[in-house]
Amino acid sequence: MASSSSLYLSQALLARAVYLHGSSSDRVSLSFPSFSGLKSHSPCKAATFSAGSRRRGVSTSVVRAAAVETLDQTTEVSLVEKSINTIRFLAIDAVEKANSGHPGLPMGCAPMGHILYDEVMKYNPKNPTWFNRDRFVLSAGHGCMLQYALLHLAGYDSVQEQDLKNFRQWESRTPGHPENFETVGVEVTTGPLGQGIANAVGLALAEKHLAARFNKPDNEIVDHYTYVILGDGCQMEGISNEACSLAGHWGLGKLIAFYDDNHISIDGDTEIAFTENVDQRFEALGWHVIWVKNGNTGYDEIRAAIKEAKAVKDKPTLIKVTTTIGYGSPNKANSYSVHGSALGAKEVDATRKNLGWPYEPFHVPEDVKKHWSRHVPNGSKLEAEWNAKFAGYEKKYSEEAAELKGIFTGVLPAGWEKALPTYTPESPADATRNLSQQNLNALVKVLPGLLGGSADLASSNMTLLKSYGDFQKDTPEERNVRFGVREHGMGAICNGIALHSPGFIPYCATFFVFTDYMRAAIRISALCEAGVIYVMTHDSIGLGEDGPTHQPIEHLASFRAMPNILMLRPADGNETAGSYKVAVLNRKRPSILALSRQKLPQLPGTSIEGVEKGGYTISDNSSGNKPDVILIGTGSELEIAAAAAEDLRKEGKTVRVVSLVSWELFDEQSAEYKESVLPASVSARVSIEAGSTFGWQKIVGSKGKAIGIDRFGASAPAGKIYKEFGITKEAVIAAAKQVS
């Protein structure tokens, strides 16, 4: 039986929730008795909720974070509450020591976190990358001390007590937001709100796809869930709606999302900006929706909701859990002041008294430690059982097992690169977007983890895998993913796919200019080391008549400025194949391929091997590494540089033509190699690229000249625009004569 304080708190929350989520009357008036038996309390006045004020009455009617009394509880329930309070205080203490962080969410979400990690999820703390583990994503990443506390209690080596004490410090394994590359046990990098729930959709898509491809009637070798906690901020961000719309459309039944319904954001009560009915929106998106009215102490409600969610196989589930942010804090609970800053010494002490917590900071009581210690042997047992199951699968289904093993280990098939097409100068001219499709369709035959699609532009981006159908609710084994017009969600979903298993090679596509819609997801790809391949077509003014809204100008320069990403702009078939080789090999670094709409010739001297070095010489009539002038081009303008070189050579000049397909790869080459391509003694350099000249001075030097476009484009046929903007052979020849 629940204590009186727990009951009163539940009543208060229910009263608040009745108004927020509807009732048969316009006004609900409830009175509550004073809390009794609390270490710290204040009387609860009558709370009145009116249709004209969404929940204004709640803030004056307490939820002063009642203590959870356990004296009249069973030992089992008492231990659960003690464990939950351990999570709360590990978060409180870490934020307090750092004097930085977000304690409110961990304090409010501790019950659902405890139930997930202690009772529901399957994982192996000593092998956090075990393939068939359940995945957890904290989309509300600012509350990361919740996850760190859970990983610590569960026995992950990556989060020791000292790591909790080093929260948000230099070289800490517990950074200010969850980072998969810093903390083993964290699946994805979250922080920018909404990214995490979209990543979770990608993780769940990956599970559904693999289960459909590899499970057999006598052996369901792929069987795991994706759980996520998201908050009001995630719900407000548009990316979450994009991704959740797709999750509903795809029927991702093993995606279970917990919505921390606490109605508080940094600016205060969410009624100032967020009053929609989230339940109805998710139902319209095709989700199953459950409401847990008391997320603070309603442990059985949470358990029942998870059980119900698992019973729904054809829809993802949103479990809305109404909680009190900062639960347990007598003076700051249910307010924005507990959202993003430490409680302060006085309030920490008051919270300890309120929740009856007599322990020193960072202390884990022995009975709680003993209770959680079972996850290490249990996790090892779960993995051993699965390994035995896979061994049986491997004997019976050897071909499928080899493919699946490649996906979950990341080992590429031997000789896969031999599938890449090659081209000669006699091969027909073609747009690099078309050459890209040839590469994709060649690679999908030899790379089991390759899948992807476009943001409603497959016929224009040329990304369709011709030998496969569409990944859909009833055909999840297929490998063409239809993202619809959802660029931001598409990118984040692909991040989730990439991070599900190291052998997944997801790609996604749109027009290059529309990377503006998905830049945040691309940046997270680079940060979290997700090797997504971004197939970006219509890469310049060469797209022509669609005009400046569709013509990228600053985009190449902006991605060259982004850390840990490869910006590749191939000029022809061989360079396109080389770009794909590089992209496939870089599993911890995303790649962007900027591809042309217009046809380009197959140039003499280009090669797959040259692309791997980032920059290389395609033609040169000089000797002794001393050309009169070096012409440097990328993509569609390499052809112009090559044509200009031919004319200059006829005039007696020695000219080297360099393809600088990837600045990042070129920068990584040895000093000797770079000197062999761009000798320091040759200052006469001209670059040509149909984009911003920003950054090119690094290549051409102070005495060189960069030809490009430093204004927006125009609507006209491509040839006319090139001529008017001076992206021509004549301009290159004039510049070459000027600098040499």
Side-chain angles (χ1 to χ4, degrees):
M1 177 181 173
S3 68
S4 59
S5 61
S6 296
L7 286 171
Y8 295 150
L9 180 60
S10 300
Q11 289 172 331
L13 288 165
L14 180 57
R16 163 196 185 202
V18 164
Y19 174 73
L20 292 178
H21 306 283
S23 70
S24 58
S25 62
D26 290 333
R27 297 178 65 86
V28 180
S29 187
L30 295 168
S31 296
F32 308 108
S34 300
F35 290 114
S36 60
L38 299 185
K39 306 294 187 297
S40 174
H41 70 276
S42 63
C44 206
K45 297 179 181 178
T48 303
F49 308 93
S50 68
S53 176
R54 182 167 171 261
R55 55 176 297 277
R56 214 163 270 139
V58 174
S59 61
T60 61
S61 67
V62 302
V63 185
R64 277 244 187 227
V68 178
E69 298 290 341
T70 62
L71 295 177
D72 59 342
Q73 305 276 323
T74 66
T75 302
E76 181 182 355
V77 174
S78 175
L79 185 57
V80 168
E81 293 185 342
K82 197 171 185 180
S83 173
I84 289 168
N85 280 335
T86 301
I87 297 165
R88 289 184 175 122
F89 280 100
L90 288 175
I92 290 169
D93 295 338
V95 172
E96 197 65 25
K97 187 175 187 298
N99 194 28
S100 176
H102 300 73
L105 183 145
M107 294 167 73
C109 291
M112 63 182 99
H114 166 87
I115 290 169
L116 277 175
Y117 268 83
D118 188 56
E119 301 178 15
V120 175
M121 287 171 55
K122 58 182 183 183
Y123 55 88
N124 181 3
K126 300 306 177 186
N127 183 15
T129 60
W130 168 44
F131 167 71
N132 206 42
R133 68 192 181 278
D134 290 331
R135 271 74 170 171
F136 173 77
V137 175
L138 184 61
S139 188
H142 54 274
C144 57
M145 267 309 307
L146 171 70
Q147 190 167 15
Y148 298 150
L150 291 165
L151 293 173
H152 176 63
L153 291 174
Y156 284 76
D157 294 333
S158 54
V159 186
Q160 304 294 325
E161 181 180 330
Q162 190 59 44
D163 296 305
L164 299 177
K165 293 178 177 178
N166 287 339
F167 178 54
R168 287 186 164 223
Q169 303 308 300
W170 178 254
E171 294 187 338
S172 166
R173 292 192 293 188
T174 48
H177 289 84
E179 298 171 359
N180 60 295
F181 54 92
E182 290 286 2
T183 313
V184 176
V186 171
E187 300 287 352
V188 301
T189 294
T190 60
L193 294 175
Q195 293 287 332
I197 178 63
N199 292 166
V201 172
L203 291 169
L205 179 154
E207 192 279 341
K208 181 164 183 164
H209 174 70
L210 293 179
R213 275 177 68 179
F214 296 107
N215 282 355
K216 304 294 181 182
D218 63 339
N219 195 326
E220 291 192 4
I221 199 64
V222 181
D223 178 21
H224 51 267
Y225 282 81
T226 301
Y227 299 96
V228 58
I229 292 177
L230 69 158
D232 289 306
C234 296
Q235 295 283 18
M236 293 184 220
E237 288 286 357
I239 186 176
S240 65
N241 200 69
E242 290 183 21
C244 291
S245 174
L246 282 167
H249 171 73
W250 289 327
L252 301 180
K254 287 189 174 178
L255 173 61
I256 299 176
F258 293 81
Y259 166 32
D260 178 26
D261 176 41
N262 65 44
H263 301 280
I264 296 294
S265 64
I266 290 175
D267 278 355
D269 195 305
T270 54
E271 72 174 1
I272 64 176
F274 187 59
T275 55
E276 68 189 46
N277 189 312
V278 174
D279 308 48
Q280 291 181 5
R281 174 161 63 88
F282 270 76
E283 287 172 353
L285 292 175
W287 287 56
H288 180 63
V289 178
I290 306 169
W291 178 24
V292 172
K293 299 177 178 65
N294 175 14
N296 297 325
T297 59
Y299 313 137
D300 285 340
E301 288 183 61
I302 296 171
R303 293 180 181 112
I306 295 170
K307 183 178 181 181
E308 181 181 333
K310 285 191 165 189
V312 177
K313 307 294 186 183
D314 61 341
K315 294 180 179 182
T317 295
L318 180 78
I319 303 176
K320 182 173 65 175
V321 186
T322 299
T323 66
T324 301
I325 190 171
Y327 179 87
S329 170
N331 303 300
K332 294 188 176 183
N334 198 37
S335 73
Y336 70 90
S337 60
V338 78
H339 183 286
S341 58
L343 293 176
K346 283 183 64 177
E347 190 65 12
V348 170
D349 184 58
T351 304
R352 275 183 153 76
K353 291 177 181 176
N354 191 40
L355 291 178
W357 195 253
Y359 306 104
E360 292 297 310
F362 299 102
H363 181 77
V364 178
E366 284 302 316
D367 50 351
V368 172
K369 193 180 295 183
K370 181 180 178 181
H371 174 75
W372 279 83
S373 67
R374 75 190 193 284
H375 290 293
V376 170
N378 286 358
S380 295
K381 182 182 177 184
L382 283 169
E383 183 175 0
E385 290 171 350
W386 185 85
N387 287 341
K389 189 175 183 179
F390 183 74
Y393 183 92
E394 204 166 17
K395 286 181 180 178
K396 192 169 183 180
Y397 308 105
S398 58
E399 187 176 332
E400 292 95 328
E403 282 197 2
L404 178 58
K405 196 170 187 178
I407 291 172
F408 69 69
T409 64
V411 177
L412 296 172
W416 67 271
E417 68 279 2
K418 295 176 183 176
L420 291 166
T422 57
Y423 305 83
T424 69
E426 291 69 43
S427 300
D430 209 344
T432 51
R433 62 171 175 159
N434 294 332
L435 300 167
S436 165
Q437 186 171 46
Q438 293 172 20
N439 279 268
L440 284 171
N441 279 277
L443 288 172
V444 76
K445 297 174 183 177
V446 295
L447 297 176
L450 183 69
L451 78 167
S454 167
D456 197 48
L457 289 168
S459 60
S460 195
N461 299 141
M462 308 306 291
T463 49
L464 198 65
L465 302 174
K466 296 178 181 179
S467 56
Y468 289 91
D470 291 346
F471 176 95
Q472 295 289 359
K473 182 176 183 177
D474 297 323
T475 55
E477 70 280 2
E478 301 293 353
R479 291 161 76 172
N480 286 299
V481 184
R482 304 287 190 170
F483 290 103
V485 189
R486 302 180 181 92
E487 291 89 356
H488 197 182
M490 173 178 70
I493 288 169
C494 283
N495 285 340
I497 297 171
L499 294 174
H500 181 279
S501 294
F504 266 125
I505 307 172
Y507 67 89
C508 61
T510 186
F511 291 172
F512 191 30
V513 76
F514 297 142
T515 53
D516 288 343
Y517 278 126
M518 57 190 301
R519 183 171 297 271
I522 296 174
R523 187 176 188 274
I524 290 293
S525 293
L527 178 63
C528 74
E529 302 176 350
V532 178
I533 302 176
Y534 292 95
V535 181
M536 298 295 147
T537 69
H538 298 63
D539 70 335
S540 73
I541 56 169
L543 66 87
E545 293 85 349
D546 275 343
T549 60
H550 284 51
Q551 293 165 354
I553 298 294
E554 73 281 12
H555 298 70
L556 288 165
S558 70
F559 286 114
R560 287 170 181 153
M562 186 178 285
N564 196 47
I565 194 165
L566 294 175
M567 182 67 250
L568 298 134
R569 191 166 185 246
D572 65 1
N574 286 329
E575 289 203 341
T576 302
S579 296
Y580 271 104
K581 182 178 181 182
V582 165
V584 169
L585 289 173
N586 277 268
R587 291 296 78 228
K588 290 196 173 184
R589 179 162 56 170
S591 302
I592 301 176
L593 277 63
L595 305 167
S596 74
R597 180 190 184 222
Q598 70 271 36
K599 288 186 177 182
L600 303 174
Q602 311 296 343
L603 297 171
T606 60
S607 69
I608 291 174
E609 296 73 25
V611 173
E612 292 181 90
K613 295 183 180 296
Y616 65 107
T617 300
I618 68 163
S619 69
D620 188 5
N621 68 330
S622 69
S623 60
N625 204 25
K626 293 181 179 179
D628 293 331
V629 64
I630 301 174
L631 307 182
I632 309 161
T634 74
S636 47
E637 289 71 65
L638 186 61
E639 169 196 6
I640 296 173
E646 287 300 311
D647 284 6
L648 286 167
R649 288 167 187 155
K650 291 174 184 176
E651 298 180 13
K653 294 276 191 182
T654 57
V655 185
R656 175 177 296 174
V657 180
V658 170
S659 173
L660 201 60
V661 62
S662 170
W663 293 20
E664 299 80 22
L665 291 174
F666 187 68
D667 284 346
E668 292 168 5
Q669 303 309 307
S670 67
E672 292 76 15
Y673 177 78
K674 287 186 281 189
E675 176 66 16
S676 74
V677 177
L678 296 176
S681 61
V682 180
S683 61
R685 303 178 183 184
V686 177
S687 68
I688 181 165
E689 184 173 69
S692 171
T693 61
F694 185 84
W696 272 103
Q697 188 173 14
K698 165 186 171 182
I699 307 298
V700 300
S702 60
K703 295 182 180 180
K705 183 171 178 60
I707 299 172
I709 306 170
D710 292 314
R711 52 156 284 187
F712 289 119
S715 179
K720 177 66 172 176
I721 302 174
Y722 266 77
K723 183 178 179 180
E724 291 295 331
F725 284 173
I727 311 298
T728 63
K729 177 181 73 171
E730 292 74 20
V732 175
I733 292 171
K737 290 178 178 180
Q738 181 183 343
V739 301
S740 61

